[in-house]
Amino acid sequence: MSDQPSEPTESAESTGPVRRRSTGIVADLRVLVQHAGFRKLFTVRLLSQCGDGMFQIGLAALFFFSPQNLATATQVAGAFAVMLLPFTIVGPFAGPLLDRWSRRQVLAIGNSVRVVLTLAIAAIMVTSGIGPAIYVLALLTLATNRFLLAALSAGLPRVVPADQLLIANSLTPTLGGASAVAGAGLGVVINLVTPTGPWHDATVLLVTAAFMLAAVVAAMRLHRGELGPDRSATELSVLGQLGATTRDLVDGARYLVARRTPALALGAMAAHRFIYGVNFIALILISRNLLVDPGDASAGLAMFGLLSGISFAGGGLAIVATPIAHQFLRPSAWVITCLGVGIVSQLLIATTPTIAVIAVAALLLGLSTQGAKIAVDTIVQRDTHDRFRGRAFTLYDTFYNAAFTGAAAVAALALPDTGWSRATFLPLAGLYVLIATGYGLGTRRTHDRPAAIPER
């Protein structure tokens, strides 16, 4: 069977449920790893996201779970806003480049940049300690990571057949997330066992850089044009490239809106991300200031690792549930179902702030978020031409970051320093109802089919 998938079609059948025999995770993965291109790309994802998980837990330990830092709702939300807002503004210009440059080169060079930045952060921490340079370099590293994730998603349809795209969308982001959780767990262990001193926080970053370097080596195993795109970059001046990028970005947005189904899915996912962002910030505060002694930063980090791991386990449930649900439901119907699970998670966490209740709510929110994302990824990839996929997934990431930035602003105003507020979680449940209703009406109006427009 060819490793090259076909382009999205306009057939009505493409929007419906796929009747196939339900298989296990291992069996589905065996189907996918038969394709050499998928094996290589999947290896890059696992190594890259493992390094990302270690990097993020290193930042969390440094910024939110250090004894000298008393995490308040305003401080936590402000840190996220500062990190995400610049990339929200600049990030869209990465999309057209993913549709012009070799995506394999993007993965190799992007991870190389992350290695350099991570080593620079470690060196500054050992020699000078925390300062403005740390925040700037961390911002650049996180922004590069979002760019890499967009490239991984845009390249996936090039290494698996179209009829296996749902399986790939179910497995790769969730197993990549599991790899990030494993990296975060390793980072927590390293943080807890490393003696205090200049090398305490830097040690995690040095190990992180090793995983990122391994991702560079894995990316170089792919052929230069294996992940697309079909057209090559043109030789333009800096201003000419900026103008062309702006035009490409506008064209990409117009294309998604004209196709209708991708734009609706991205809108629903961005709103979903907003609610997730408020909950994520709440989880940091709950772990740091409510469930443990606020003065015990190490216990707070361990609690956050436990609860965030449970949330990612919910994403693991999505890997099992989504392919099964797809036998009976269209991807759009599964998105609405996942939004319903999100409603339950918010109603549950609003009842009482005990460890058991918060753990179950985190599990449901992880299932809701990852399940909806798998379906949205499938809709966007299925209904978007290859020439526009890079822009589509960079817009995807931009909406993600913009929604999280908005969530940070709301969290700073609405959450107490303990992180738990019934007056916040109940309105979020109502917002889920509005999102599900609006998305359901939108897909019904379009008959859940992309509009047929000429491909240019």
Side-chain angles (χ1 to χ4, degrees):
M1 182 178 292
S2 172
D3 286 350
Q4 180 68 24
S6 60
E7 293 296 339
T9 66
E10 305 287 349
S11 65
E13 289 78 11
S14 66
T15 64
V18 176
R19 304 288 180 177
R20 70 175 181 85
R21 182 177 58 86
S22 176
T23 60
I25 296 173
V26 174
D28 284 342
L29 189 58
R30 284 175 178 169
V31 171
L32 294 172
V33 297
Q34 295 178 19
H35 311 294
F38 173 82
R39 292 197 302 272
K40 297 173 186 176
L41 185 63
F42 188 51
T43 301
V44 176
R45 179 182 284 273
L46 293 180
L47 291 170
S48 182
Q49 291 198 245
C50 184
D52 181 52
M54 294 187 65
F55 183 81
Q56 293 191 34
I57 204 66
L59 291 186
L62 183 64
F63 295 156
F64 309 131
F65 296 97
S66 295
Q68 66 270 24
N69 292 335
L70 298 178
T72 66
T74 302
Q75 289 172 335
V76 173
F80 277 106
V82 168
M83 288 181 183
L84 295 174
L85 184 58
F87 183 63
T88 302
I89 298 172
V90 178
F93 293 95
L97 297 180
L98 288 177
D99 294 330
R100 288 172 176 266
W101 293 351
S102 164
R103 293 167 189 158
R104 176 264 217 172
Q105 293 299 96
V106 169
L107 293 174
I109 296 173
N111 275 299
S112 298
V113 169
R114 291 205 303 166
V115 170
V116 174
L117 292 173
T118 302
L119 291 176
I121 294 173
I124 293 173
M125 289 173 61
V126 171
T127 58
S128 305
I130 302 175
I134 295 290
Y135 291 90
V136 174
L137 294 175
L139 167 64
L140 293 175
T141 306
L142 292 171
T144 303
N145 178 62
R146 304 304 301 174
F147 188 53
L148 293 174
L149 290 176
L152 287 167
S153 294
L156 187 59
R158 300 296 297 262
V159 295
V160 297
D163 62 345
Q164 296 175 9
L165 193 55
L166 175 75
I167 303 175
N169 280 330
S170 299
L171 287 175
T172 56
T174 304
L175 292 180
S179 181
V181 171
L186 180 59
V188 170
V189 172
I190 294 174
N191 186 277
L192 293 176
V193 302
T194 303
T196 57
W199 288 94
H200 179 264
D201 294 310
T203 301
V204 175
L205 295 177
L206 292 176
V207 179
T208 298
F211 277 91
M212 294 174 177
L213 182 59
V216 175
V217 176
M220 295 302 294
R221 296 178 61 235
L222 289 155
H223 301 303
R224 187 182 183 93
E226 192 168 353
L227 303 181
D230 292 330
R231 69 177 181 179
S232 301
T234 56
E235 295 296 332
L236 295 174
S237 65
V238 174
L239 290 179
Q241 184 69 54
L242 179 61
T245 296
T246 302
R247 290 190 296 272
D248 280 352
L249 177 63
V250 172
D251 287 344
R254 287 174 176 170
Y255 173 86
L256 294 176
V257 172
R259 289 286 278 176
R260 300 185 299 190
T261 51
L264 283 170
L266 290 179
M269 199 63 213
H272 200 332
R273 175 69 169 179
F274 169 82
I275 298 175
Y276 173 83
V278 176
N279 276 263
F280 187 80
I281 293 173
L283 192 65
I284 292 177
L285 294 167
I286 290 171
S287 301
R288 178 71 164 85
N289 301 328
L290 182 63
L291 298 181
V292 302
D293 180 0
D296 191 346
S298 296
L301 177 60
M303 179 61 68
F304 175 69
L306 172 64
L307 293 177
S308 59
I310 291 173
S311 180
F312 276 107
L317 293 178
I319 195 178
V320 178
T322 300
I324 296 174
H326 194 67
Q327 297 179 78
F328 310 100
L329 299 173
R330 295 183 177 188
S332 59
W334 181 237
V335 171
I336 295 173
T337 302
C338 290
L339 293 172
V341 175
I343 295 171
V344 176
S345 74
Q346 299 307 285
L347 293 176
L348 180 61
I349 197 173
T351 58
T352 181
T354 63
I355 293 179
V357 169
I358 292 171
V360 175
L363 181 76
L364 293 176
L365 188 62
L367 169 61
S368 171
T369 303
Q370 189 61 43
K373 186 181 184 303
I374 293 170
V376 170
D377 284 354
T378 301
I379 293 168
V380 174
Q381 290 175 338
R382 181 197 65 199
D383 297 345
T384 304
H385 192 276
D386 183 65
R387 291 201 309 272
F388 292 93
R389 284 195 188 114
R391 278 162 281 186
F393 279 97
T394 296
L395 286 170
Y396 198 162
D397 279 341
T398 301
F399 294 155
Y400 251 48
N401 287 308
F404 212 121
T405 303
V410 170
L413 295 174
L415 290 175
D417 292 344
T418 59
W420 186 85
S421 170
R422 183 177 289 116
T424 299
F425 295 124
L426 289 178
L428 291 179
L431 181 56
Y432 262 131
V433 173
L434 294 177
I435 298 167
T437 302
Y439 182 68
L441 292 174
T443 53
R444 183 180 303 175
R445 188 174 296 113
T446 62
H447 303 290
D448 201 18
R449 296 175 181 171
I453 61 176
E455 301 289 3
R456 293 174 295 178

